[in-house]
Amino acid sequence: MTVTLVAARRMRKGLSGGVPDTERGRPACMTCGTMPHMQEPQEAVPGRAAAPAVGTAPTEHSVLGREAPRRRGRHTAAWARGPVHPGWVIALVGLLALMASAGFRSAPGVLMIPLEAQYGWPLSVMSTAVSTNLVLFGLTAPFAAALMDRLGVRTVVSGALVLIALGSGLTVFATHVWHLLLTWGVLIGLGTGSMAQVFAATIANRWFVKHRGLVLGVLSAGMASGQLVTLPVIAALAERVGWRTASLAIAGLALAVVPLLLVFMRDRPSDLGVRPVGAGPEWVEPAEAPRGNAFARTLGVLAAAARRPAFWALAGAFAICGATTNGLIGVHFVPSAHDHGMATTTAASLLAAVGIFDVVGTILSGWLTDRFDPRLLLGVYYFFRGVGLACLPVLLSDRVHVSMVIFVVVYGLDWVATVPPTVTLCREIFGESGTIVFGWVFASHQMGAALAASAAGLVRDTVGTYTYAWIGGAVLCVLATVLSVAVRRPPIDRPGRSAAA
């Protein structure tokens, strides 16, 4: 009888040759791989509370306020045990990846001229490849957010950089226009769309509670700074060595960041046994997203979000954002300045200066988003953008005046400043599905840019001036201001909110 009781007790503790604890559903410690050190239930003693039952109480390994979830890794990486929170390391690696992915964003404008000279391809035909890139860049974003939940951030982003490298590297073998549609359009469009703003939002939302807006601003500025850093190099290579060397340089830049992602990138703080930056002891890690069909989940999130007015307000305002930046100024500022007698090189330099102030404005916007109502920030941004567009027909001339410099500074500070508050509102309103929702909102941004680029060109060809296009953009900015301020914000921002429905 004694032997039987001892064996039963050992089986109950999971110490015999029975099924291991991890296979019975009790998670192992995320740091050392051992079982949570919990005590058996004890009988209540007068004057003292009874010990908690097995599997219900947090342990010294449960750094997240509950039992540590089971993870693939058994030990915390050595680099994550240093004095710097690993979230900052993740953000730095993400910034480098975004800068590398931005290497191609400004390349077509430099590469199309030598391609035209060598093959005689019309610019309008090559622009079709760029348009395909822009459409896929926007439409891929929401699906990429779901794939990051399904396959992991490291896998998706590394694959995206490989696609960009393939698209740019294979360009050297292009001999027909359809080759550009495949490389510039499909491969690079899918690659850049799988990262971009949804990647920045994923890092900020998962790894930061404090400084989340600032991190969003820095990561969003990374794409703009990547273009500023790489454009002069690509232009110099294309002019002095050849466009093929410039294409290979873009491919090499994208591939150079992949090893850093493989070594340092992690999906969630719990993978390293830590809380997000700024999270207190009461913080509880949100449940992992469903690991079903990512495509179906992305469409399901859209269907749920579309039932809420806030989604349409954010998507409409962000479509106007794309229309008044990439669509109008990004495409038509230089031709419009040329119509007024300004040298093309001078106008291009002014547009480059917009990009410089864009970096400053986006980081500043992230800092402000941590401190002020994001709806009001969006209202201010869109209002001053509208003022700038309304004044632009008067400011353009054959030379650069102080008023034009002021326009460049204001418009540059405002260019991508809308991203941190928009991401924050998506997170607050739609909870853990907020990143996918932002992906759809970002898709509307690209659609707005494409429509505005075509509409402004049509206006110029019809009436002979861009004036009506600038005024139309200013009116749209007033509408975006109203939409942004009218968004209903939840009363409490809880990082663990779950629903998009």
Side-chain angles (χ1 to χ4, degrees):
M1 178 65 70
T2 302
V3 174
T4 303
L5 291 175
V6 171
R9 185 173 182 181
R10 289 172 63 84
M11 285 293 292
R12 186 179 73 231
K13 290 184 177 181
L15 300 176
S16 66
V19 180
D21 284 302
T22 53
E23 294 182 13
R24 293 206 307 268
R26 188 187 303 176
C29 170
M30 73 183 74
T31 304
C32 63
T34 61
M35 297 309 304
H37 307 308
M38 297 182 179
Q39 302 297 324
E40 291 291 325
Q42 299 178 1
E43 295 182 1
V45 177
R48 187 178 66 183
V54 175
T56 60
T59 70
E60 60 182 347
H61 292 282
S62 304
V63 297
L64 303 178
R66 60 177 173 83
E67 284 191 33
R70 180 167 46 190
R71 297 291 183 187
R72 289 186 296 271
R74 285 180 174 270
H75 299 280
T76 302
W79 61 267
R81 294 195 293 266
V84 178
H85 191 287
W88 294 109
V89 178
I90 298 293
L92 176 60
V93 174
L95 176 64
L96 294 175
L98 287 167
M99 292 179 67
S101 71
F104 182 83
R105 302 309 308 166
S106 55
V110 175
L111 300 180
M112 282 194 295
I113 296 176
L115 282 169
E116 181 188 29
Q118 180 170 349
Y119 295 110
W121 297 337
L123 292 178
S124 59
V125 175
M126 288 188 286
S127 297
T128 304
V130 179
S131 298
T132 303
N133 178 293
L134 289 173
V135 171
L136 288 176
F137 181 68
L139 293 180
T140 304
F143 298 97
L147 282 175
M148 288 180 189
D149 289 336
R150 178 69 178 85
L151 303 177
V153 175
R154 177 167 49 185
T155 301
V156 173
V157 177
S158 297
L161 288 173
V162 171
L163 284 177
I164 294 171
L166 283 174
S168 186
L170 291 176
T171 304
V172 302
F173 302 107
T175 55
H176 298 85
V177 173
W178 71 265
H179 294 165
L180 287 186
L181 290 173
L182 176 62
T183 55
W184 285 13
V186 177
L187 292 179
I188 297 180
L190 290 174
T192 53
S194 296
M195 297 176 58
Q197 303 292 359
V198 293
F199 177 45
T202 298
I203 291 178
N205 288 338
R206 292 184 181 180
W207 287 88
F208 293 86
V209 172
K210 186 179 181 181
H211 307 305
R212 181 179 290 163
L214 177 62
V215 172
L216 274 171
V218 172
L219 293 177
S220 299
M223 287 175 286
S225 59
Q227 295 182 50
L228 292 174
V229 171
T230 58
L231 181 58
V233 177
I234 294 171
L237 288 174
E239 180 179 351
R240 299 176 184 177
V241 184
W243 65 268
R244 287 184 172 86
T245 302
S247 297
L248 292 175
I250 297 172
L253 177 63
L255 289 177
V257 184
V258 173
L260 293 176
L261 288 167
L262 297 177
V263 173
F264 294 104
M265 185 57 64
R266 297 294 187 276
D267 286 337
R268 298 176 183 274
S270 55
D271 291 343
L272 296 175
V274 299
R275 302 184 186 96
V277 174
E282 73 285 353
W283 184 84
V284 177
E285 183 187 42
E288 287 193 17
R291 292 190 173 268
N293 188 301
F295 184 86
R297 179 172 177 245
T298 304
L299 295 179
V301 169
L302 173 62
R307 294 195 293 267
R308 305 184 63 172
F311 170 77
W312 295 107
L314 291 171
F318 220 48
I320 294 172
C321 176
T324 52
T325 52
N326 301 79
L328 286 178
I329 296 297
V331 176
H332 295 286
F333 177 80
V334 174
S336 181
H338 185 267
D339 286 347
H340 287 77
M342 184 180 293
T344 301
T345 53
T346 303
S349 299
L350 290 174
L351 192 59
V354 170
I356 295 175
F357 288 102
D358 169 26
V359 175
V360 178
T362 307
I363 296 175
L364 178 61
S365 176
W367 183 84
L368 292 171
T369 302
D370 287 329
R371 289 159 175 79
F372 299 98
D373 188 335
R375 299 172 302 175
L376 299 181
L377 292 177
L378 287 174
V380 171
Y381 298 157
Y382 287 126
F383 176 78
F384 279 102
R385 185 180 298 181
V387 171
L389 287 173
C391 295
L392 188 56
V394 180
L395 301 179
L396 287 170
S397 66
D398 59 347
R399 60 187 64 184
V400 179
H401 298 284
V402 175
S403 56
M404 176 54 71
V405 174
I406 295 175
F407 170 84
V408 167
V409 172
V410 173
Y411 220 86
L413 292 173
D414 188 80
W415 188 274
V416 191
T418 55
V419 172
T422 302
V423 172
T424 298
L425 287 172
C426 288
R427 169 78 179 191
E428 290 181 358
I429 297 170
F430 300 99
E432 290 305 306
S433 296
T435 303
I436 298 179
V437 173
F438 175 71
W440 286 113
V441 171
F442 181 72
S444 73
H445 180 281
Q446 296 303 103
M447 297 303 103
L451 289 174
S454 300
L458 181 61
V459 168
R460 168 63 175 77
D461 291 342
T462 302
V463 300
T465 178
Y466 280 104
T467 299
Y468 295 106
W470 304 135
I471 298 301
V475 173
L476 288 175
C477 285
V478 174
L479 175 59
T481 301
V482 175
L483 290 174
S484 300
V485 175
V487 172
R488 296 187 62 181
R489 191 182 187 191
I492 300 176
D493 180 17
R494 296 188 297 269
R497 292 180 76 248
S498 60

